[in-house]
Amino acid sequence: MPDFLYKQKYNMIFSLLENHSNLFRNSIPLIASENVTSPAVREAMISDFANRYAEGWPGERVYAGCKYIDSVELECMELAKKLYDAEFADVRAISGVVANLVIYSAFTQPGDIMMCMPISAGGHISHGKKEHSGTAGLVHGLNIEPFPFDKDNMNIDVDKTVNKIKKTENNKMPKLAMFGGSLFLFPHPVKEMSDILKEYDIHINYDAAHVAGLIAGKQFQDPLKEGADTMTMSTHKTLFGPQGGLILSHNKYAENIKKATFPGMTSNHHIHHMAAKAITFIETLEFGQSYAKDVISNAKTLAETLNELGFYVLGEKNGFTKSHQIVIDVSKYLDGGKAEAELEKSNIIVNRQLIPGDIKAGRNYFNPGGIRLGVSEITRLGMQKSEMKQIAEFVKNIIIDKKEPAEMLNKIKSFRKDFQTIQYCFDNKTKAYEYVRIK
Ligand code: DSN
């Protein structure tokens, strides 16, 4: 290829990056697993930490040049422990999936059984079985036993789970119970089940990836106090940090976790993201409670309005949601994949969602019955009750009224103009989706 074409490609990549920022500046981002970071978190991510290695534990690194990295990491661990009122924090997992793999490696052997939410009812792929290429089965060789699920309550069925455990033969007893998941409307019954799980020597992990910011903001359950032995999470969903992972636990599990994290699951642990986690923990200690309250109240308003407008919103029996998520069964109008595509034409960004009953109805991940909406990002942009009502109306206009995408796109771009700054942070002079040029 002639050299000048490389420069064209180089420029093209940067234009695509700018186009992406422009798209999100003009969109209503409702992916429940996403959020936007503050300018402070972005600054930490482009620091020189991004170029360094710091394998091991602070003070015991296998490289020189780590004195400032060590100071930040020690601070980061202290902040994580304070935020989650935990005895031990390992801030090195580079994602929620890696954090879960650390738990699998530290507390189970390949061939052991893990009980968790079925993917068809909202379990995460990292909890999945080998046949589905799920991390637990494929990478660590765990066998998966689903928690019985109660569709009306949209939650784990406690009585059926307890019966199931009591009837299980000793050699088939799970070694690990994994709470949490991707579709996560209501707190999971950790408190209700921890005694029985402990009676059978089952390690309890709580995957807080989705609800980490709500737990930190003290507006959701507190898994470690309710009986979880360990808690894993990603750091970029309701917790508005960089993409990354975090593990919290009681002191007695610290050494197992440390070894499984390094050298087990990570070599370098993306030091710039570690620094950005520290900044996120400070922001969350300062602003997390009001943010989490606003997220949950926004989710409730959006769910109630969608319901009033004629949508079948799941979880009605328990008030639709107590988290950042809303799940709608759209199968009366079109499938979840098509709903996702229709909404995207007007810059409303959601994801299709398998919902209970889909597999029996012959649906799969490509054409599930539902869509999932999350309000973490739009709350961080300062949207409140009236905006939730307006967004519900937009969704209705597109899915039920089938209005022209071009007309909707204009309305949505204009609605979006007033929400360009990050809230719940110390410094926000750089706009939320500003493309920052430093080259
Ligand atoms: N798949 C993501 C979710 O949306 O839940 C998390 O990894």
Side-chain angles (χ1 to χ4, degrees), residues 93-108 114 126-127 134-142 176 178 205 207 232 247 256-257 259-261 264-266:
I94 58 166
S95 70
V97 171
V98 167
N100 284 340
L101 267 168
V102 167
I103 298 302
Y104 302 155
S105 311
F107 302 105
T108 67
M114 174 170 83
S126 64
H127 313 165
T135 314
L138 190 72
V139 183
H140 193 63
L142 289 179
L176 174 63
M178 173 70 88
N205 187 69
D207 183 339
T232 48
I247 304 170
N256 284 10
I257 292 170
K259 273 189 281 186
T261 303
M265 287 299 146
T266 51

PDB file of all heavy atoms in Angstrom, residues 93-108 114 126-127 134-142 176 178 205 207 232 247 256-257 259-261 264-266:
ATOM      1  N   ALA A  93      -8.378  -6.468  39.010  1.00  0.00           N
ATOM      2  CA  ALA A  93      -9.069  -7.189  37.927  1.00  0.00           C
ATOM      3  C   ALA A  93      -9.367  -6.201  36.800  1.00  0.00           C
ATOM      4  O   ALA A  93      -9.820  -5.081  37.054  1.00  0.00           O
ATOM      5  CB  ALA A  93     -10.355  -7.805  38.453  1.00  0.00           C
ATOM      6  N   ILE A  94      -9.110  -6.613  35.572  1.00  0.00           N
ATOM      7  CA  ILE A  94      -9.275  -5.631  34.487  1.00  0.00           C
ATOM      8  C   ILE A  94     -10.701  -5.607  33.929  1.00  0.00           C
ATOM      9  O   ILE A  94     -10.992  -4.813  33.040  1.00  0.00           O
ATOM     10  CB  ILE A  94      -8.252  -5.850  33.344  1.00  0.00           C
ATOM     11  CG1 ILE A  94      -8.383  -7.254  32.759  1.00  0.00           C
ATOM     12  CG2 ILE A  94      -6.831  -5.586  33.819  1.00  0.00           C
ATOM     13  CD1 ILE A  94      -7.661  -7.412  31.436  1.00  0.00           C
ATOM     14  N   SER A  95     -11.570  -6.463  34.424  1.00  0.00           N
ATOM     15  CA  SER A  95     -12.976  -6.407  34.007  1.00  0.00           C
ATOM     16  C   SER A  95     -13.806  -7.211  34.997  1.00  0.00           C
ATOM     17  O   SER A  95     -13.255  -7.944  35.840  1.00  0.00           O
ATOM     18  CB  SER A  95     -13.146  -7.004  32.605  1.00  0.00           C
ATOM     19  OG  SER A  95     -12.936  -8.401  32.664  1.00  0.00           O
ATOM     20  N   GLY A  96     -15.112  -7.101  34.861  1.00  0.00           N
ATOM     21  CA  GLY A  96     -16.004  -7.893  35.707  1.00  0.00           C
ATOM     22  C   GLY A  96     -15.854  -9.378  35.417  1.00  0.00           C
ATOM     23  O   GLY A  96     -15.930 -10.212  36.333  1.00  0.00           O
ATOM     24  N   VAL A  97     -15.644  -9.728  34.168  1.00  0.00           N
ATOM     25  CA  VAL A  97     -15.475 -11.140  33.810  1.00  0.00           C
ATOM     26  C   VAL A  97     -14.211 -11.694  34.473  1.00  0.00           C
ATOM     27  O   VAL A  97     -14.215 -12.788  35.049  1.00  0.00           O
ATOM     28  CB  VAL A  97     -15.407 -11.310  32.268  1.00  0.00           C
ATOM     29  CG1 VAL A  97     -15.011 -12.729  31.895  1.00  0.00           C
ATOM     30  CG2 VAL A  97     -16.735 -10.954  31.621  1.00  0.00           C
ATOM     31  N   VAL A  98     -13.130 -10.918  34.411  1.00  0.00           N
ATOM     32  CA  VAL A  98     -11.877 -11.360  35.052  1.00  0.00           C
ATOM     33  C   VAL A  98     -12.077 -11.473  36.573  1.00  0.00           C
ATOM     34  O   VAL A  98     -11.594 -12.425  37.200  1.00  0.00           O
ATOM     35  CB  VAL A  98     -10.708 -10.409  34.688  1.00  0.00           C
ATOM     36  CG1 VAL A  98      -9.495 -10.648  35.572  1.00  0.00           C
ATOM     37  CG2 VAL A  98     -10.339 -10.593  33.223  1.00  0.00           C
ATOM     38  N   ALA A  99     -12.810 -10.538  37.150  1.00  0.00           N
ATOM     39  CA  ALA A  99     -13.080 -10.611  38.598  1.00  0.00           C
ATOM     40  C   ALA A  99     -13.819 -11.916  38.920  1.00  0.00           C
ATOM     41  O   ALA A  99     -13.492 -12.610  39.895  1.00  0.00           O
ATOM     42  CB  ALA A  99     -13.897  -9.401  39.038  1.00  0.00           C
ATOM     43  N   ASN A 100     -14.785 -12.287  38.076  1.00  0.00           N
ATOM     44  CA  ASN A 100     -15.495 -13.551  38.322  1.00  0.00           C
ATOM     45  C   ASN A 100     -14.564 -14.749  38.143  1.00  0.00           C
ATOM     46  O   ASN A 100     -14.631 -15.715  38.911  1.00  0.00           O
ATOM     47  CB  ASN A 100     -16.712 -13.669  37.392  1.00  0.00           C
ATOM     48  CG  ASN A 100     -17.856 -12.778  37.862  1.00  0.00           C
ATOM     49  OD1 ASN A 100     -17.894 -12.390  39.019  1.00  0.00           O
ATOM     50  ND2 ASN A 100     -18.770 -12.461  36.965  1.00  0.00           N
ATOM     51  N   LEU A 101     -13.687 -14.676  37.156  1.00  0.00           N
ATOM     52  CA  LEU A 101     -12.733 -15.781  36.959  1.00  0.00           C
ATOM     53  C   LEU A 101     -11.809 -15.933  38.167  1.00  0.00           C
ATOM     54  O   LEU A 101     -11.414 -17.049  38.521  1.00  0.00           O
ATOM     55  CB  LEU A 101     -11.895 -15.519  35.702  1.00  0.00           C
ATOM     56  CG  LEU A 101     -12.451 -16.143  34.427  1.00  0.00           C
ATOM     57  CD1 LEU A 101     -11.716 -15.591  33.208  1.00  0.00           C
ATOM     58  CD2 LEU A 101     -12.346 -17.660  34.455  1.00  0.00           C
ATOM     59  N   VAL A 102     -11.452 -14.818  38.778  1.00  0.00           N
ATOM     60  CA  VAL A 102     -10.635 -14.883  39.999  1.00  0.00           C
ATOM     61  C   VAL A 102     -11.385 -15.690  41.067  1.00  0.00           C
ATOM     62  O   VAL A 102     -10.824 -16.575  41.722  1.00  0.00           O
ATOM     63  CB  VAL A 102     -10.306 -13.455  40.506  1.00  0.00           C
ATOM     64  CG1 VAL A 102      -9.754 -13.498  41.931  1.00  0.00           C
ATOM     65  CG2 VAL A 102      -9.330 -12.765  39.564  1.00  0.00           C
ATOM     66  N   ILE A 103     -12.661 -15.398  41.209  1.00  0.00           N
ATOM     67  CA  ILE A 103     -13.457 -16.116  42.223  1.00  0.00           C
ATOM     68  C   ILE A 103     -13.553 -17.602  41.867  1.00  0.00           C
ATOM     69  O   ILE A 103     -13.385 -18.470  42.738  1.00  0.00           O
ATOM     70  CB  ILE A 103     -14.871 -15.482  42.345  1.00  0.00           C
ATOM     71  CG1 ILE A 103     -14.764 -14.022  42.803  1.00  0.00           C
ATOM     72  CG2 ILE A 103     -15.780 -16.295  43.280  1.00  0.00           C
ATOM     73  CD1 ILE A 103     -14.062 -13.797  44.125  1.00  0.00           C
ATOM     74  N   TYR A 104     -13.792 -17.894  40.591  1.00  0.00           N
ATOM     75  CA  TYR A 104     -13.874 -19.319  40.202  1.00  0.00           C
ATOM     76  C   TYR A 104     -12.563 -20.014  40.551  1.00  0.00           C
ATOM     77  O   TYR A 104     -12.551 -21.122  41.078  1.00  0.00           O
ATOM     78  CB  TYR A 104     -14.129 -19.469  38.691  1.00  0.00           C
ATOM     79  CG  TYR A 104     -15.391 -18.788  38.176  1.00  0.00           C
ATOM     80  CD1 TYR A 104     -15.503 -18.390  36.836  1.00  0.00           C
ATOM     81  CD2 TYR A 104     -16.474 -18.557  39.007  1.00  0.00           C
ATOM     82  CE1 TYR A 104     -16.642 -17.774  36.358  1.00  0.00           C
ATOM     83  CE2 TYR A 104     -17.617 -17.930  38.539  1.00  0.00           C
ATOM     84  CZ  TYR A 104     -17.692 -17.530  37.210  1.00  0.00           C
ATOM     85  OH  TYR A 104     -18.817 -16.910  36.743  1.00  0.00           O
ATOM     86  N   SER A 105     -11.447 -19.372  40.219  1.00  0.00           N
ATOM     87  CA  SER A 105     -10.147 -20.020  40.429  1.00  0.00           C
ATOM     88  C   SER A 105      -9.804 -20.127  41.903  1.00  0.00           C
ATOM     89  O   SER A 105      -9.194 -21.100  42.331  1.00  0.00           O
ATOM     90  CB  SER A 105      -9.033 -19.224  39.746  1.00  0.00           C
ATOM     91  OG  SER A 105      -9.400 -18.941  38.442  1.00  0.00           O
ATOM     92  N   ALA A 106     -10.167 -19.107  42.663  1.00  0.00           N
ATOM     93  CA  ALA A 106      -9.781 -19.094  44.078  1.00  0.00           C
ATOM     94  C   ALA A 106     -10.635 -20.051  44.914  1.00  0.00           C
ATOM     95  O   ALA A 106     -10.154 -20.583  45.915  1.00  0.00           O
ATOM     96  CB  ALA A 106      -9.894 -17.671  44.631  1.00  0.00           C
ATOM     97  N   PHE A 107     -11.873 -20.276  44.519  1.00  0.00           N
ATOM     98  CA  PHE A 107     -12.781 -21.002  45.417  1.00  0.00           C
ATOM     99  C   PHE A 107     -13.425 -22.260  44.836  1.00  0.00           C
ATOM    100  O   PHE A 107     -14.250 -22.884  45.500  1.00  0.00           O
ATOM    101  CB  PHE A 107     -13.872 -20.036  45.925  1.00  0.00           C
ATOM    102  CG  PHE A 107     -13.281 -18.848  46.642  1.00  0.00           C
ATOM    103  CD1 PHE A 107     -13.238 -17.589  46.031  1.00  0.00           C
ATOM    104  CD2 PHE A 107     -12.708 -18.997  47.899  1.00  0.00           C
ATOM    105  CE1 PHE A 107     -12.651 -16.503  46.664  1.00  0.00           C
ATOM    106  CE2 PHE A 107     -12.131 -17.909  48.549  1.00  0.00           C
ATOM    107  CZ  PHE A 107     -12.095 -16.663  47.933  1.00  0.00           C
ATOM    108  N   THR A 108     -13.077 -22.607  43.596  1.00  0.00           N
ATOM    109  CA  THR A 108     -13.635 -23.848  43.022  1.00  0.00           C
ATOM    110  C   THR A 108     -12.566 -24.574  42.208  1.00  0.00           C
ATOM    111  O   THR A 108     -11.534 -23.991  41.868  1.00  0.00           O
ATOM    112  CB  THR A 108     -14.824 -23.563  42.072  1.00  0.00           C
ATOM    113  OG1 THR A 108     -14.342 -22.874  40.910  1.00  0.00           O
ATOM    114  CG2 THR A 108     -15.919 -22.747  42.727  1.00  0.00           C
ATOM    115  N   MET A 114     -21.667 -24.699  39.999  1.00  0.00           N
ATOM    116  CA  MET A 114     -22.018 -23.337  40.441  1.00  0.00           C
ATOM    117  C   MET A 114     -23.509 -23.114  40.205  1.00  0.00           C
ATOM    118  O   MET A 114     -24.035 -23.420  39.136  1.00  0.00           O
ATOM    119  CB  MET A 114     -21.235 -22.287  39.645  1.00  0.00           C
ATOM    120  CG  MET A 114     -21.676 -20.863  39.982  1.00  0.00           C
ATOM    121  SD  MET A 114     -20.588 -19.602  39.297  1.00  0.00           S
ATOM    122  CE  MET A 114     -21.204 -19.470  37.629  1.00  0.00           C
ATOM    123  N   SER A 126     -20.649 -14.490  31.770  1.00  0.00           N
ATOM    124  CA  SER A 126     -19.510 -15.014  32.546  1.00  0.00           C
ATOM    125  C   SER A 126     -19.969 -16.063  33.559  1.00  0.00           C
ATOM    126  O   SER A 126     -19.138 -16.730  34.164  1.00  0.00           O
ATOM    127  CB  SER A 126     -18.756 -13.882  33.249  1.00  0.00           C
ATOM    128  OG  SER A 126     -19.578 -13.261  34.202  1.00  0.00           O
ATOM    129  N   HIS A 127     -21.287 -16.200  33.759  1.00  0.00           N
ATOM    130  CA  HIS A 127     -21.807 -17.250  34.646  1.00  0.00           C
ATOM    131  C   HIS A 127     -22.271 -18.459  33.825  1.00  0.00           C
ATOM    132  O   HIS A 127     -22.864 -19.381  34.377  1.00  0.00           O
ATOM    133  CB  HIS A 127     -23.019 -16.763  35.461  1.00  0.00           C
ATOM    134  CG  HIS A 127     -22.856 -15.431  36.120  1.00  0.00           C
ATOM    135  ND1 HIS A 127     -23.914 -14.703  36.629  1.00  0.00           N
ATOM    136  CD2 HIS A 127     -21.753 -14.671  36.358  1.00  0.00           C
ATOM    137  CE1 HIS A 127     -23.484 -13.577  37.149  1.00  0.00           C
ATOM    138  NE2 HIS A 127     -22.172 -13.526  36.998  1.00  0.00           N
ATOM    139  N   GLY A 134     -20.123 -19.927  27.809  1.00  0.00           N
ATOM    140  CA  GLY A 134     -20.057 -19.066  28.998  1.00  0.00           C
ATOM    141  C   GLY A 134     -18.708 -19.223  29.686  1.00  0.00           C
ATOM    142  O   GLY A 134     -18.112 -20.304  29.674  1.00  0.00           O
ATOM    143  N   THR A 135     -18.238 -18.158  30.293  1.00  0.00           N
ATOM    144  CA  THR A 135     -16.902 -18.156  30.895  1.00  0.00           C
ATOM    145  C   THR A 135     -16.743 -19.243  31.963  1.00  0.00           C
ATOM    146  O   THR A 135     -15.724 -19.936  32.008  1.00  0.00           O
ATOM    147  CB  THR A 135     -16.636 -16.772  31.537  1.00  0.00           C
ATOM    148  OG1 THR A 135     -17.018 -15.762  30.619  1.00  0.00           O
ATOM    149  CG2 THR A 135     -15.188 -16.598  31.920  1.00  0.00           C
ATOM    150  N   ALA A 136     -17.739 -19.370  32.832  1.00  0.00           N
ATOM    151  CA  ALA A 136     -17.609 -20.315  33.954  1.00  0.00           C
ATOM    152  C   ALA A 136     -17.386 -21.735  33.440  1.00  0.00           C
ATOM    153  O   ALA A 136     -16.537 -22.466  33.948  1.00  0.00           O
ATOM    154  CB  ALA A 136     -18.866 -20.255  34.828  1.00  0.00           C
ATOM    155  N   GLY A 137     -18.148 -22.117  32.421  1.00  0.00           N
ATOM    156  CA  GLY A 137     -18.031 -23.470  31.887  1.00  0.00           C
ATOM    157  C   GLY A 137     -16.847 -23.623  30.958  1.00  0.00           C
ATOM    158  O   GLY A 137     -16.041 -24.545  31.101  1.00  0.00           O
ATOM    159  N   LEU A 138     -16.721 -22.688  30.039  1.00  0.00           N
ATOM    160  CA  LEU A 138     -15.703 -22.827  28.990  1.00  0.00           C
ATOM    161  C   LEU A 138     -14.290 -22.630  29.530  1.00  0.00           C
ATOM    162  O   LEU A 138     -13.375 -23.362  29.192  1.00  0.00           O
ATOM    163  CB  LEU A 138     -15.981 -21.797  27.887  1.00  0.00           C
ATOM    164  CG  LEU A 138     -15.173 -21.948  26.617  1.00  0.00           C
ATOM    165  CD1 LEU A 138     -15.640 -23.168  25.833  1.00  0.00           C
ATOM    166  CD2 LEU A 138     -15.319 -20.716  25.747  1.00  0.00           C
ATOM    167  N   VAL A 139     -14.118 -21.640  30.375  1.00  0.00           N
ATOM    168  CA  VAL A 139     -12.758 -21.290  30.810  1.00  0.00           C
ATOM    169  C   VAL A 139     -12.360 -22.006  32.099  1.00  0.00           C
ATOM    170  O   VAL A 139     -11.223 -22.418  32.245  1.00  0.00           O
ATOM    171  CB  VAL A 139     -12.621 -19.755  30.982  1.00  0.00           C
ATOM    172  CG1 VAL A 139     -11.195 -19.367  31.350  1.00  0.00           C
ATOM    173  CG2 VAL A 139     -13.050 -19.038  29.712  1.00  0.00           C
ATOM    174  N   HIS A 140     -13.294 -22.167  33.013  1.00  0.00           N
ATOM    175  CA  HIS A 140     -12.907 -22.794  34.289  1.00  0.00           C
ATOM    176  C   HIS A 140     -13.498 -24.195  34.472  1.00  0.00           C
ATOM    177  O   HIS A 140     -13.246 -24.844  35.491  1.00  0.00           O
ATOM    178  CB  HIS A 140     -13.285 -21.883  35.459  1.00  0.00           C
ATOM    179  CG  HIS A 140     -12.654 -22.297  36.739  1.00  0.00           C
ATOM    180  ND1 HIS A 140     -11.277 -22.308  36.940  1.00  0.00           N
ATOM    181  CD2 HIS A 140     -13.186 -22.784  37.894  1.00  0.00           C
ATOM    182  CE1 HIS A 140     -11.007 -22.748  38.152  1.00  0.00           C
ATOM    183  NE2 HIS A 140     -12.146 -23.053  38.757  1.00  0.00           N
ATOM    184  N   GLY A 141     -14.304 -24.644  33.517  1.00  0.00           N
ATOM    185  CA  GLY A 141     -14.819 -26.024  33.600  1.00  0.00           C
ATOM    186  C   GLY A 141     -15.863 -26.233  34.691  1.00  0.00           C
ATOM    187  O   GLY A 141     -16.050 -27.343  35.181  1.00  0.00           O
ATOM    188  N   LEU A 142     -16.565 -25.158  35.060  1.00  0.00           N
ATOM    189  CA  LEU A 142     -17.625 -25.335  36.062  1.00  0.00           C
ATOM    190  C   LEU A 142     -18.874 -25.908  35.393  1.00  0.00           C
ATOM    191  O   LEU A 142     -19.164 -25.611  34.231  1.00  0.00           O
ATOM    192  CB  LEU A 142     -17.981 -23.993  36.713  1.00  0.00           C
ATOM    193  CG  LEU A 142     -16.935 -23.388  37.656  1.00  0.00           C
ATOM    194  CD1 LEU A 142     -17.414 -22.049  38.196  1.00  0.00           C
ATOM    195  CD2 LEU A 142     -16.638 -24.333  38.826  1.00  0.00           C
ATOM    196  N   LEU A 176     -20.308 -23.188  44.714  1.00  0.00           N
ATOM    197  CA  LEU A 176     -20.386 -21.724  44.614  1.00  0.00           C
ATOM    198  C   LEU A 176     -21.813 -21.322  44.249  1.00  0.00           C
ATOM    199  O   LEU A 176     -22.444 -21.959  43.395  1.00  0.00           O
ATOM    200  CB  LEU A 176     -19.407 -21.270  43.509  1.00  0.00           C
ATOM    201  CG  LEU A 176     -19.378 -19.806  43.098  1.00  0.00           C
ATOM    202  CD1 LEU A 176     -18.953 -18.916  44.266  1.00  0.00           C
ATOM    203  CD2 LEU A 176     -18.381 -19.604  41.947  1.00  0.00           C
ATOM    204  N   MET A 178     -23.723 -17.969  42.853  1.00  0.00           N
ATOM    205  CA  MET A 178     -23.417 -16.668  42.245  1.00  0.00           C
ATOM    206  C   MET A 178     -24.710 -15.865  42.139  1.00  0.00           C
ATOM    207  O   MET A 178     -25.624 -16.240  41.406  1.00  0.00           O
ATOM    208  CB  MET A 178     -22.828 -16.908  40.844  1.00  0.00           C
ATOM    209  CG  MET A 178     -22.605 -15.675  40.024  1.00  0.00           C
ATOM    210  SD  MET A 178     -21.279 -14.653  40.656  1.00  0.00           S
ATOM    211  CE  MET A 178     -19.876 -15.379  39.830  1.00  0.00           C
ATOM    212  N   ASN A 205     -20.808 -15.732  46.148  1.00  0.00           N
ATOM    213  CA  ASN A 205     -20.292 -14.529  45.484  1.00  0.00           C
ATOM    214  C   ASN A 205     -21.469 -13.727  44.958  1.00  0.00           C
ATOM    215  O   ASN A 205     -22.465 -14.278  44.489  1.00  0.00           O
ATOM    216  CB  ASN A 205     -19.360 -14.861  44.321  1.00  0.00           C
ATOM    217  CG  ASN A 205     -18.720 -13.592  43.764  1.00  0.00           C
ATOM    218  OD1 ASN A 205     -17.887 -12.973  44.425  1.00  0.00           O
ATOM    219  ND2 ASN A 205     -19.130 -13.167  42.579  1.00  0.00           N
ATOM    220  N   ASP A 207     -22.247 -10.924  42.180  1.00  0.00           N
ATOM    221  CA  ASP A 207     -21.746 -10.162  41.030  1.00  0.00           C
ATOM    222  C   ASP A 207     -22.526  -8.853  40.962  1.00  0.00           C
ATOM    223  O   ASP A 207     -23.673  -8.814  40.511  1.00  0.00           O
ATOM    224  CB  ASP A 207     -21.920 -10.994  39.752  1.00  0.00           C
ATOM    225  CG  ASP A 207     -21.344 -10.274  38.538  1.00  0.00           C
ATOM    226  OD1 ASP A 207     -21.186  -9.043  38.592  1.00  0.00           O
ATOM    227  OD2 ASP A 207     -21.076 -10.946  37.529  1.00  0.00           O
ATOM    228  N   THR A 232     -17.930  -9.289  43.423  1.00  0.00           N
ATOM    229  CA  THR A 232     -17.198  -8.881  42.217  1.00  0.00           C
ATOM    230  C   THR A 232     -18.013  -7.803  41.502  1.00  0.00           C
ATOM    231  O   THR A 232     -19.220  -7.694  41.705  1.00  0.00           O
ATOM    232  CB  THR A 232     -17.039 -10.085  41.266  1.00  0.00           C
ATOM    233  OG1 THR A 232     -18.309 -10.718  41.127  1.00  0.00           O
ATOM    234  CG2 THR A 232     -16.029 -11.077  41.784  1.00  0.00           C
ATOM    235  N   ILE A 247     -12.781  -6.474  43.190  1.00  0.00           N
ATOM    236  CA  ILE A 247     -13.199  -7.587  44.062  1.00  0.00           C
ATOM    237  C   ILE A 247     -13.122  -7.118  45.515  1.00  0.00           C
ATOM    238  O   ILE A 247     -12.118  -6.528  45.929  1.00  0.00           O
ATOM    239  CB  ILE A 247     -12.271  -8.805  43.880  1.00  0.00           C
ATOM    240  CG1 ILE A 247     -12.241  -9.223  42.407  1.00  0.00           C
ATOM    241  CG2 ILE A 247     -12.744  -9.966  44.759  1.00  0.00           C
ATOM    242  CD1 ILE A 247     -11.164 -10.251  42.088  1.00  0.00           C
ATOM    243  N   ASN A 256      -6.195 -15.826  49.001  1.00  0.00           N
ATOM    244  CA  ASN A 256      -6.679 -16.598  47.838  1.00  0.00           C
ATOM    245  C   ASN A 256      -6.966 -15.679  46.653  1.00  0.00           C
ATOM    246  O   ASN A 256      -6.639 -15.987  45.510  1.00  0.00           O
ATOM    247  CB  ASN A 256      -8.004 -17.303  48.166  1.00  0.00           C
ATOM    248  CG  ASN A 256      -7.798 -18.515  49.022  1.00  0.00           C
ATOM    249  OD1 ASN A 256      -6.698 -18.714  49.517  1.00  0.00           O
ATOM    250  ND2 ASN A 256      -8.825 -19.311  49.208  1.00  0.00           N
ATOM    251  N   ILE A 257      -7.583 -14.543  46.943  1.00  0.00           N
ATOM    252  CA  ILE A 257      -7.962 -13.616  45.868  1.00  0.00           C
ATOM    253  C   ILE A 257      -6.708 -12.982  45.253  1.00  0.00           C
ATOM    254  O   ILE A 257      -6.582 -12.886  44.028  1.00  0.00           O
ATOM    255  CB  ILE A 257      -8.939 -12.540  46.404  1.00  0.00           C
ATOM    256  CG1 ILE A 257     -10.275 -13.200  46.760  1.00  0.00           C
ATOM    257  CG2 ILE A 257      -9.145 -11.413  45.388  1.00  0.00           C
ATOM    258  CD1 ILE A 257     -11.237 -12.318  47.509  1.00  0.00           C
ATOM    259  N   LYS A 259      -3.689 -14.115  45.030  1.00  0.00           N
ATOM    260  CA  LYS A 259      -2.937 -15.059  44.173  1.00  0.00           C
ATOM    261  C   LYS A 259      -3.680 -15.351  42.873  1.00  0.00           C
ATOM    262  O   LYS A 259      -3.077 -15.470  41.808  1.00  0.00           O
ATOM    263  CB  LYS A 259      -2.712 -16.376  44.927  1.00  0.00           C
ATOM    264  CG  LYS A 259      -1.448 -16.340  45.780  1.00  0.00           C
ATOM    265  CD  LYS A 259      -1.123 -17.705  46.326  1.00  0.00           C
ATOM    266  CE  LYS A 259      -2.022 -17.965  47.506  1.00  0.00           C
ATOM    267  NZ  LYS A 259      -1.885 -19.080  48.313  1.00  0.00           N
ATOM    268  N   ALA A 260      -4.994 -15.473  42.985  1.00  0.00           N
ATOM    269  CA  ALA A 260      -5.757 -15.789  41.766  1.00  0.00           C
ATOM    270  C   ALA A 260      -5.751 -14.591  40.812  1.00  0.00           C
ATOM    271  O   ALA A 260      -5.813 -14.757  39.589  1.00  0.00           O
ATOM    272  CB  ALA A 260      -7.179 -16.195  42.125  1.00  0.00           C
ATOM    273  N   THR A 261      -5.656 -13.378  41.387  1.00  0.00           N
ATOM    274  CA  THR A 261      -5.636 -12.189  40.519  1.00  0.00           C
ATOM    275  C   THR A 261      -4.283 -12.058  39.829  1.00  0.00           C
ATOM    276  O   THR A 261      -4.204 -11.904  38.611  1.00  0.00           O
ATOM    277  CB  THR A 261      -5.923 -10.910  41.344  1.00  0.00           C
ATOM    278  OG1 THR A 261      -7.183 -11.074  41.990  1.00  0.00           O
ATOM    279  CG2 THR A 261      -5.968  -9.677  40.460  1.00  0.00           C
ATOM    280  N   GLY A 264      -2.460 -15.270  38.632  1.00  0.00           N
ATOM    281  CA  GLY A 264      -3.478 -16.103  37.986  1.00  0.00           C
ATOM    282  C   GLY A 264      -4.168 -15.481  36.782  1.00  0.00           C
ATOM    283  O   GLY A 264      -4.118 -16.017  35.681  1.00  0.00           O
ATOM    284  N   MET A 265      -4.802 -14.336  36.981  1.00  0.00           N
ATOM    285  CA  MET A 265      -5.685 -13.814  35.931  1.00  0.00           C
ATOM    286  C   MET A 265      -5.199 -12.546  35.242  1.00  0.00           C
ATOM    287  O   MET A 265      -5.813 -12.083  34.291  1.00  0.00           O
ATOM    288  CB  MET A 265      -7.064 -13.472  36.530  1.00  0.00           C
ATOM    289  CG  MET A 265      -7.881 -14.660  36.868  1.00  0.00           C
ATOM    290  SD  MET A 265      -8.208 -15.652  35.400  1.00  0.00           S
ATOM    291  CE  MET A 265      -8.183 -17.251  36.181  1.00  0.00           C
ATOM    292  N   THR A 266      -4.159 -11.936  35.796  1.00  0.00           N
ATOM    293  CA  THR A 266      -3.668 -10.716  35.154  1.00  0.00           C
ATOM    294  C   THR A 266      -2.152 -10.721  35.174  1.00  0.00           C
ATOM    295  O   THR A 266      -1.542 -11.277  36.085  1.00  0.00           O
ATOM    296  CB  THR A 266      -4.089  -9.431  35.920  1.00  0.00           C
ATOM    297  OG1 THR A 266      -3.735  -9.591  37.288  1.00  0.00           O
ATOM    298  CG2 THR A 266      -5.551  -9.132  35.784  1.00  0.00           C
TER     299      THR A 266
END
